[in-house]
Amino acid sequence: MSDNKRKTDGRDKSRRRFRPDGTPIWGQRQIDGPGVWVTCVKGKERQTVGELYDLFESLANQLWPVEDTEAAGTPQASDDEDGGADDLEKQIAKEVASMKRPRKETRFANCQTNTPCVVFISCKPPVDPVKLVTTHIQNVLTTGATQTRFSQRLTPVSASCVANIPEIKALCGRLVRAALEAEPEKKFTYKIELRIRNHNTLTRDKLIPELAQCVPEGHTVSLDNPELFILVEVFKSVCGISVVKDYYKLHKFNVMEIANAKNLSDEGADGRVVQKGKNFGDATKPSPPEGTQSTAPSEKE
């Protein structure tokens, strides 16, 4: 009886798609580290993750190619070696070593948000989320093709921390100083772009003045035409920050809007990836202003 029950439990576990705490088995439990926040079509979160894996891996292979160390690390047998037992032992050792070779480490991982229309893909070094996203945005701006069907806005974050003021200020100060080191003599204009989702502890009025204190003196605020944008994403108990340029010129990194604008200006046609149909009927319409989308999770801007 106990053996049958044990076999039944094993089969049930193999069929499970969710962990005991309710999180799906195809993602990480926690949001952590650098990565990319992506808004998508409601109900298409899993498909969005799949297309982002393909897109990001393709871009990463171009920007940070993986060195092929397999050939260098595997010794080649010389032609003048004596045959017999030594050759057999070496061949067996070579096969065992190939079986024990570690798997290729993935550079991207989906982190569960448990929120409609919101996906977070974490990145591992040497991948830089800002460079990854800006490269994709430039490709869309040049070709007019998004290479995705459900992804909308891509927001890179260079690092993440716990959503409390001391941690956020420390992270923001570190990232801002690193961004200003490229041109230490120049005085920039900047703007803080804060987005708060599913979080009710910190408010905009309280957080923005604290973030402004992280910017060194001499750099001024510009709400209309800033040179630097400090992107701050607060989601539940996590805060992610990055520093980017041309955020407004590039439609706030909304690839659908960029592709549609590019194709409309070139050919007077709709975006190349957005298709007509019941799943994409609303995608060809102009996007409503921030914070007014009915399908997006609750957010404060």
Side-chain angles (χ1 to χ4, degrees):
M1 181 68 180
S2 60
D3 293 340
N4 293 333
K5 183 177 180 181
R6 198 171 301 157
K7 292 180 181 179
T8 303
D9 293 341
R11 286 196 297 267
D12 291 341
K13 289 181 180 179
S14 64
R15 295 172 183 172
R16 287 175 185 169
R17 296 183 178 180
F18 297 88
R19 299 188 181 96
D21 61 357
T23 59
I25 62 175
W26 48 277
Q28 295 183 3
R29 298 167 183 257
Q30 298 179 350
I31 298 171
D32 189 22
V36 182
W37 286 101
V38 183
T39 59
C40 64
V41 178
K42 186 175 182 180
K44 300 297 182 180
E45 292 80 10
R46 185 164 187 173
Q47 292 87 335
T48 301
V49 171
E51 67 184 14
L52 289 174
Y53 276 155
D54 295 338
L55 173 64
F56 288 171
E57 282 292 346
S58 176
L59 291 171
N61 289 335
Q62 299 174 13
L63 298 172
W64 305 278
V66 179
E67 296 181 0
D68 188 5
T69 58
E70 180 177 347
T74 304
Q76 300 293 333
S78 59
D79 296 336
D80 56 352
E81 288 181 347
D82 295 334
D86 292 341
D87 287 344
L88 180 60
E89 291 178 359
K90 290 179 180 179
Q91 184 177 359
I92 294 175
K94 183 178 179 180
E95 292 179 358
V96 171
S98 63
M99 294 173 61
K100 293 182 178 180
R101 186 178 297 113
R103 292 182 179 180
K104 181 181 177 181
E105 185 177 4
T106 57
R107 292 177 284 190
F108 303 98
N110 172 49
C111 299
Q112 289 303 310
T113 63
N114 298 321
T115 303
C117 308
V118 180
V119 170
F120 183 78
I121 304 294
S122 66
C123 306
K124 295 182 180 180
V127 176
D128 179 9
V130 174
K131 187 175 181 179
L132 182 76
V133 171
T134 53
T135 300
H136 177 52
I137 295 298
Q138 291 297 332
N139 292 340
V140 177
L141 189 63
T142 302
T143 63
T146 62
Q147 302 182 38
T148 54
R149 299 178 63 189
F150 309 110
S151 304
Q152 296 175 343
R153 188 187 310 280
L154 282 68
T155 305
V157 291
S158 299
S160 302
C161 66
V162 180
N164 61 59
I165 290 181
E167 295 283 345
I168 294 175
K169 289 182 66 176
L171 177 60
C172 183
R174 177 166 57 86
L175 294 178
V176 169
R177 288 191 297 270
L180 297 176
E181 286 178 355
E183 300 178 77
E185 302 298 329
K186 184 176 180 179
K187 300 302 180 182
F188 289 92
T189 57
Y190 71 94
K191 181 180 180 180
I192 298 172
E193 279 285 323
L194 173 62
R195 183 176 290 107
I196 300 177
R197 293 189 181 96
N198 297 359
H199 180 90
N200 54 15
T201 302
L202 300 176
T203 62
R204 293 179 58 86
D205 296 338
K206 184 177 181 180
L207 189 54
I208 289 181
E210 298 289 343
L211 292 169
Q213 297 178 8
C214 302
V215 181
E217 295 183 1
H219 305 279
T220 57
V221 176
S222 174
L223 300 180
D224 298 326
N225 189 26
E227 298 171 297
L228 294 179
F229 293 85
I230 303 174
L231 306 183
V232 182
E233 292 277 337
V234 178
F235 179 83
K236 295 183 179 179
S237 61
V238 180
C239 176
I241 303 176
S242 63
V243 181
V244 301
K245 295 182 179 180
D246 299 329
Y247 187 60
Y248 285 169
K249 293 181 181 178
L250 298 176
H251 296 270
K252 297 185 177 181
F253 296 170
N254 190 315
V255 292
M256 284 191 175
E257 291 185 1
I258 295 172
N260 286 334
K262 168 66 176 176
N263 291 305
L264 285 172
S265 63
D266 289 351
E267 303 174 1
D270 290 335
R272 198 174 305 173
V273 173
V274 180
Q275 303 176 4
K276 293 182 179 180
K278 61 181 181 179
N279 292 335
F280 302 96
D282 297 335
T284 57
K285 300 178 181 179
S287 299
E290 288 291 326
T292 61
Q293 295 182 1
S294 59
T295 59
S298 59
E299 62 181 56
K300 307 174 186 176
E301 299 198 28

